[in-house]
């Protein structure tokens, strides 16, 4: 089965993938905070944020299609949830029409609410997409340890990552096998049965891995060779981005 | 000669009731290579898992003079390097280098020592060229050599192998035999491969149904066809 | 039901973060004490499964599709504290890897899917176990927890002024009642299977 690796662009040796993971985590999280706290009316700010993200995508040598695909998953949610507000929120009307005796009004305030959700979700997701795809998952975890994430979470995450590919493979096989049947009841039974069998199989394998870890002296502490050292380019990256974002956020303008 | 492994009346029952080991007693001297043979289900793997405290049964086990208990576990696990039958369960880090460094990191060695010992283990097992590779991309033979490296890097005194030659092609098997002949560690080798035992072990212990049936000098044991067959084994070709 | 960044108002998000962080911290503390050695790989494997299972969507009704959440199964299998941790890890991974659910929104997503969906199944399950009708206990608590999570999600979006509460609640309840029933059946089947084959894995107080 073909696997795509979530962090596939972390191996492409771009400027971004070579940055210290801790710096990247902090910088991109800060970016998201800037986005969230920018007022919806400051349309130009969001445009500039978008420009920075496009530049980062280019520097990271990530195909735009990849980021686009990630954003696409947000759109259905945004539409299903926030689409009502332009119609329901009272305020300054900016459009009106009538379909078969029913009046539809779209208000500026409502559109602003929709825009607020939409643009912030899209930009934030892009930040995470760049971060996630340019950082090896193991490095992400190491970075999180340094940033004081609780150890048990790191351990569960690393075991989880190890087994996701295995589980993904098997799920595909289960889906195909189950799709071959025709009605609903046997589908659920077959699905649950195969899922359970495979769960036990993978679990027993994971038990052996844990035993092997203990046999090599593991006692619960995750230790690393401290490969990370903050280099001047890491600090430069963080400072430049934060400076740009601060400047952009201070811009007002757009539809007040 | 010093006894590095002393097992006295070891009994172990699995949670589901299976009596895996019954009153087993065995001694291994320093530098000795002992073969543990027996049919499937005899308790060989179970016995091996007791040697570094993974399983805890009733009875006494001393490794290098230390009784295996919670306080000594860290030291025991440094002294005893266990190479599992399933290579995949032993390779769990993102790269070969990380896997081999895992053990030394847990021993809290200084960084330079860790890198030195990891490189040494990689060179010894001819896996240096694999060091940045993803473990599950390796071939079976490469995986087995990497597993050996993960254990050697911790500089153990005793090496314990569970079916080391299973699924190895003839060349890898031969390389492994030659390698094990060169090193001085005390070796405990559980295997079905009686030719392997013949070439490497001076003593053999035959297990069946969780009991030690007989132990003795290799050639005498392996020539005893009647004994071997009555315990589900066949005579080695080399005799 | 994973809420992206930018949807929730601070007045909803901040209390959600406080509750989530507090519950998570408490769960970590309790789990670290009670955990047997083997629990970590079990938690990791369960997390992998929940991650994958949440990716699959299946047709529910006339074009809409539903998702399994897995919180109830995890809570019954691993106990409440481990389940909170496992689902939190799944949400973290989904946010970082798939951008399914935002980072700032994690406070709310953990509350809905990591806490209400897990503990909201575990408590009814333990209460209903008294009736000795295992399958019913599992089924009911699973359905309940799914609906609870969906309601909380709708409430958060409603109070943030991002969607009309009544409409969103109706829509979410409708889809999640159906997915809840399916998830209930699957959870019953899986737990009964695991009980036969590896009863030692299942959480016992």
């Amino acid at each position: 089965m073909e696997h795509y690796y979530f962090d596939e662009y972390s191996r492409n040796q771009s400027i971004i993938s070579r940055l210290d993971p801790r710096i990247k985590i902090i910088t991109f999280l800060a970016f998201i905070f800037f986005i969230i706290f920018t007022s919806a009316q400051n349309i130009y700010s969001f445009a500039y944020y978008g420009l920075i993200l496009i530049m980062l995508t280019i520097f990271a040598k990530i195909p735009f299609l990849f980021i686009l695909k990630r954003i696409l998953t947000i759109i259905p949610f945004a539409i299903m949830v926030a689409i009502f507000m332009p119609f329901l929120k009272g305020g300054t009307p900016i459009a009106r029409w009538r379909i078969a005796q029913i009046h539809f009004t779209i208000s500026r305030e409502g559109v602003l609410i929709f825009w607020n959700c939409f643009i912030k979700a899209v930009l934030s997701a892009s930040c995470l997409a760049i971060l996630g795809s340019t950082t090896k998952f193991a490095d992400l975890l190491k970075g999180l340890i340094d940033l004081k994430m609780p150890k048990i979470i790191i351990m569960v995450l690393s075991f989880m990552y190890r087994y996701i590919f295995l589980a993904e493979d098997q799920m595909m096989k289960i889906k195909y096998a189950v799709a071959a049947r025709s009605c609903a009841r046997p589908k659920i039974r077959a699905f649950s049965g195969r899922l359970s069998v495979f769960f036990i199989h993978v679990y027993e394998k994971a038990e052996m891995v844990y035993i092997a870890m203990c046999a090599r002296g593991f006692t619960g502490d995750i230790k690393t060779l401290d490969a990370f050292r903050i280099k001047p380019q890491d600090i430069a990256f963080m400072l430049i981005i934060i400076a740009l974002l601060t400047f952009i956020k201070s811009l007002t303008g757009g539809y007040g | 000669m010093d006894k590095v492994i002393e097992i006295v009346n070891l009994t172990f029952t699995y949670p589901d009731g299976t009596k895996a080991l019954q009153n087993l007693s065995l001694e291994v001297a320093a530098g000795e290579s002992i073969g543990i043979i027996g049919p499937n289900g005899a308790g060989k793997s179970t016995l091996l898992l007791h040697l570094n405290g993974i399983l805890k049964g009733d009875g006494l086990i001393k490794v290098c003079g230390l009784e295996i208990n919670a306080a000594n576990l860290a030291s025991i696990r440094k002294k005893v390097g266990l190479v599992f039958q399933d290579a995949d369960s032993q390779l769990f880090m993102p790269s070969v280098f990380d896997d081999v460094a895992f053990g030394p990191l847990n021993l809290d060695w200084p960084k330079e020592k860790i890198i030195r010992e990891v490189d040494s283990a990689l060179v010894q097992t001819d896996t240096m060229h694999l060091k940045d590779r993803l473990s599950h991309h390796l071939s079976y033979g490469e995986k087995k050599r990497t597993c050996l490296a993960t254990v050697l890097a911790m500089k153990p005194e005793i090496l314990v192998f569970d079916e080391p030659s299973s699924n190895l092609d003839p060349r890898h098997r031969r390389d492994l035999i030659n390698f094990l002949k060169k090193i001085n560690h005390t070796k405990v080798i559980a295997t079905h491969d009686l030719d392997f035992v013949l070439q490497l072990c001076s003593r053999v212990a035959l297990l069946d149904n969780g009991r030690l049936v007989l132990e003795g000098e290799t050639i005498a044991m392996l020539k005893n066809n009647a004994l071997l067959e009555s315990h589900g084994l066949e005579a080695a070709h080399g005799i | 039901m994973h809420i992206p960044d930018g949807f929730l108002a601070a007045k909803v998000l901040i209390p959600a973060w406080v509750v989530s962080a507090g519950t998570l911290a408490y769960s970590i503390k309790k789990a670290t004490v009670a955990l047997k050695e083997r629990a970590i790989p079990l938690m990791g494997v369960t997390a992998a499964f929940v991650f994958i299972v949440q990716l699959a969507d299946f047709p529910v009704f006339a074009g809409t599709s539903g998702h399994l959440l897995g919180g109830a199964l995890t809570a019954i299998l691993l106990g409440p504290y481990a389940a909170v941790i496992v689902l939190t890890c799944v949400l973290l991974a989904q946010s970082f890897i798939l951008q399914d659910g935002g980072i700032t929104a994690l406070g709310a997503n953990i509350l809905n899917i990591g806490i209400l969906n897990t503990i909201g199944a575990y408590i009814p399950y333990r209460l209903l176990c008294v009736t000795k009708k295992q399958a019913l206990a599992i089924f009911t608590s699973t359905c309940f927890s799914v609906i609870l999570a969906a309601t909380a999600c709708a409430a958060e979006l409603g109070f943030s002024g991002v969607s009309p509460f009544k409409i969103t609640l109706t829509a979410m309840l409708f889809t999640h009642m159906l997915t809840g029933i399916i998830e209930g059946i699957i959870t019953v089947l899986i737990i009964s299977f695991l009980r036969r084959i590896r009863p030692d894995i299942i959480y016992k107080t």
Side-chain angles (χ1 to χ4, degrees):
Chain A
M1 297 256 160
E2 264 241 17
H3 286 304
Y4 68 99
Y5 287 92
F6 308 123
D7 47 8
E8 56 192 299
Y9 301 110
S10 64
R11 285 174 235 280
N12 64 3
Q13 289 305 308
S14 66
I15 312 173
I16 310 288
S17 66
R18 272 174 282 178
L19 292 170
D20 185 288
R22 294 165 294 183
I23 295 290
K24 274 193 277 187
I25 293 174
I26 295 174
T27 309
F28 280 104
L29 281 185
F31 202 148
I32 293 177
F33 271 99
F34 272 97
I35 294 171
I36 306 272
F37 285 114
T38 302
S39 180
Q41 286 108 305
N42 299 353
I43 308 229
Y44 296 137
S45 302
F46 292 114
Y48 292 130
Y49 289 148
L51 211 61
I52 297 183
L53 287 170
I54 291 176
M55 302 283 293
L56 288 175
T57 307
I58 295 175
F59 283 131
K61 299 192 194 156
I62 302 174
F64 284 104
L65 211 60
F66 175 80
I67 304 285
L68 229 57
K69 272 198 278 196
R70 288 293 152 80
I71 295 174
L72 239 48
T73 57
I74 302 202
I75 304 210
F77 189 91
I79 304 238
M80 280 197 305
V81 168
I83 201 68
F84 300 102
M85 293 320 282
F87 298 94
L88 296 177
K89 180 89 180 174
T92 330
I94 55 177
R96 264 199 197 104
W97 66 94
R98 199 183 69 180
I99 300 176
Q101 310 303 331
I102 308 176
H103 289 269
F104 288 95
T105 313
I106 295 187
S107 72
R108 167 184 287 155
E109 287 77 5
V111 171
L112 216 54
I113 292 177
F114 179 80
W115 162 255
N116 186 55
C117 297
F118 182 78
I119 195 63
K120 288 181 182 176
V122 164
L123 293 176
S124 304
S126 306
C127 286
L128 286 176
I130 300 174
L131 172 63
S133 59
T134 56
T135 316
K136 293 202 188 71
F137 196 75
D139 288 344
L140 201 62
L141 292 184
K142 286 184 200 167
L144 288 173
I145 295 177
D146 281 340
L147 296 172
K148 305 294 178 219
M149 182 75 96
K151 282 202 192 98
I152 191 170
I153 299 230
I154 304 287
M155 295 225 307
V156 173
L157 277 171
S158 80
F159 261 96
M160 180 193 79
Y161 187 69
R162 208 167 283 139
Y163 292 106
I164 280 180
F165 298 113
L166 221 57
E168 185 185 31
D169 241 348
Q170 204 64 16
M171 277 302 288
M172 290 277 99
K173 293 183 184 155
I174 291 175
K175 252 185 161 176
Y176 294 143
V178 164
R181 308 219 185 181
S182 45
C183 44
R185 280 286 295 277
K187 256 199 179 114
I188 292 186
R189 265 216 121 79
F191 179 75
S192 309
R194 299 290 269 267
L195 201 58
S196 308
V197 165
F198 186 62
F199 181 85
I200 292 290
H201 181 70
V202 179
Y203 168 59
E204 286 177 347
K205 200 136 200 207
E207 251 186 331
M208 284 310 294
V209 168
Y210 191 70
I211 286 176
M213 290 170 80
C214 294
R216 297 205 322 255
F218 184 69
T219 50
D221 282 313
I222 299 176
K223 304 195 178 152
T224 57
L225 250 185
D226 194 20
F228 300 144
R229 208 152 288 161
I230 304 221
K231 302 179 287 291
Q233 49 260 51
D234 298 317
I235 304 280
F237 172 76
M238 185 171 77
L239 291 178
I240 293 175
I241 297 287
I242 305 265
L244 281 173
L245 295 175
T246 314
F247 172 68
I248 293 172
K249 189 170 181 313
S250 67
L251 293 174
T252 51
Y255 302 103
Chain B
M1 272 225 269
D2 291 326
K3 288 180 284 205
V4 289
I5 300 178
E6 288 173 72
I7 305 171
V8 182
N9 279 336
L10 182 61
T11 301
F12 181 78
T13 311
Y14 277 106
D16 65 356
T18 321
K19 288 197 174 66
L21 296 173
Q22 300 184 68
N23 284 324
L24 195 142
S25 298
L26 190 63
E27 280 173 8
V28 182
E32 193 178 11
S33 293
I34 183 169
I36 312 282
I37 64 174
N40 290 338
K44 307 192 290 294
S45 298
T46 310
L47 174 62
L48 262 41
L49 287 174
H50 278 85
L51 294 177
N52 64 355
I54 300 282
L55 294 178
K56 180 134 183 46
D58 298 315
L60 177 71
I61 307 184
K62 274 192 181 173
V63 170
C64 299
L66 287 172
E67 192 176 329
I68 299 185
N69 54 42
N72 291 334
L73 226 41
S75 326
I76 303 274
R77 287 176 181 172
K78 188 209 175 294
K79 293 183 196 290
V80 179
L82 178 47
V83 180
F84 292 69
Q85 182 172 8
D86 178 15
D88 284 321
S89 54
Q90 255 183 303
L91 302 174
F92 43 77
M93 297 295 283
S95 71
V96 164
F97 183 89
D98 287 328
D99 257 314
V100 180
F102 184 80
L105 273 169
N106 288 325
L107 296 175
D108 288 324
W109 287 343
K111 183 174 170 188
E112 306 74 41
K113 179 166 182 189
I114 293 180
I115 297 183
R116 210 173 46 236
E117 297 302 341
V118 168
D119 284 344
S120 159
L122 291 173
V123 164
Q124 281 184 289
T125 53
D126 190 23
T127 48
M128 184 58 114
H129 60 291
L130 302 171
K131 100 178 174 180
D132 292 317
R133 295 269 298 275
L134 220 58
S135 306
H136 51 257
H137 283 171
L138 304 175
S139 72
Y140 188 78
E142 288 168 338
K143 281 184 189 169
K144 282 240 114 167
R145 298 207 308 269
T146 306
C147 288
L148 186 53
T150 64
V151 160
L152 288 173
M154 292 177 75
K155 305 210 83 62
E157 290 168 44
I158 304 169
L159 286 173
V160 179
F161 294 89
D162 195 351
E163 302 291 349
S165 62
S166 74
N167 292 330
L168 283 183
D169 64 32
R171 186 183 53 144
H172 276 102
R173 183 176 168 280
R174 174 112 313 271
D175 287 343
L176 181 59
I177 292 175
N178 290 336
F179 180 78
L180 293 180
K181 275 183 173 165
K182 273 192 308 196
I183 58 179
N184 300 332
H185 303 69
T186 308
K187 301 180 212 53
V188 179
I189 304 174
T191 182
H192 287 139
D193 186 346
L194 299 185
D195 284 305
F196 197 84
V197 168
L198 190 63
Q199 294 191 58
L200 287 169
C201 304
S202 52
R203 259 172 75 217
V204 163
L206 170 63
L207 260 59
D208 198 357
N209 280 327
R211 292 181 197 279
L212 177 63
V213 172
L214 190 62
E215 57 150 322
E217 193 249 329
T218 305
I219 295 190
M221 290 283 293
L222 296 185
K223 267 187 172 162
N224 193 340
N225 290 345
L227 176 71
L228 294 178
E229 278 173 24
S230 69
H231 291 282
L233 299 173
E234 278 184 9
H237 292 182
I239 305 275
Chain C
M1 122 153 40
H2 293 66
I3 305 174
D5 285 314
F7 274 66
L8 297 176
K11 68 177 187 219
V12 168
L13 208 42
I14 294 178
W17 266 108
V18 169
V19 174
S20 294
T23 313
L24 183 61
Y26 182 70
S27 300
I28 291 178
K29 188 162 138 212
K30 293 291 273 193
T32 318
V33 164
L35 231 46
K36 286 182 289 179
E37 271 204 342
R38 59 159 45 152
I40 303 272
L42 183 55
M43 286 166 75
V45 169
T46 311
F49 266 84
V50 172
F51 184 93
I52 296 292
V53 161
Q54 282 196 8
L55 283 178
D57 57 350
F58 48 93
V60 168
F61 179 77
T64 56
S65 65
H67 296 259
L68 298 176
L69 291 176
L73 174 63
T74 310
I76 295 172
L77 187 59
L78 303 180
Y81 309 117
V84 170
I85 298 170
V86 165
L87 268 294
T88 301
C89 289
V90 174
L91 289 164
L92 273 168
Q94 287 169 325
S95 184
F96 270 111
I97 296 176
L98 300 175
Q99 287 77 63
D100 191 5
I103 278 287
T104 61
L106 268 177
N109 288 327
I110 292 178
L111 177 61
N112 301 341
I113 300 173
I115 297 174
L116 292 174
N117 189 228
T118 54
I119 299 182
Y122 186 73
I123 295 178
Y125 169 70
R126 290 303 306 277
L127 292 173
L128 289 170
C129 267
V130 166
T131 64
K132 303 274 189 232
K133 291 197 170 67
Q134 266 290 314
L136 190 67
I138 297 174
F139 179 78
T140 314
S141 48
T142 306
C143 289
F144 177 73
S145 68
V146 169
I147 292 174
L148 189 62
T151 307
C153 181
E156 284 150 10
L157 291 167
F159 280 120
S160 297
V162 148
S163 74
F165 180 57
K166 288 204 193 88
I167 298 181
T168 311
L169 182 66
T170 315
M172 292 209 79
L173 280 184
F174 183 68
T175 32
H176 286 88
M177 269 197 248
L178 292 169
T179 61
I181 290 175
I182 296 178
E183 184 163 344
I185 298 174
I186 293 178
T187 308
V188 169
L189 290 172
I190 294 181
I191 296 284
S192 73
F193 181 89
L194 293 180
R195 197 159 264 142
R196 267 188 296 133
I197 306 295
R198 285 291 303 259
D200 58 303
I201 299 183
I202 303 182
Y203 183 75
K204 286 175 262 297
T205 43

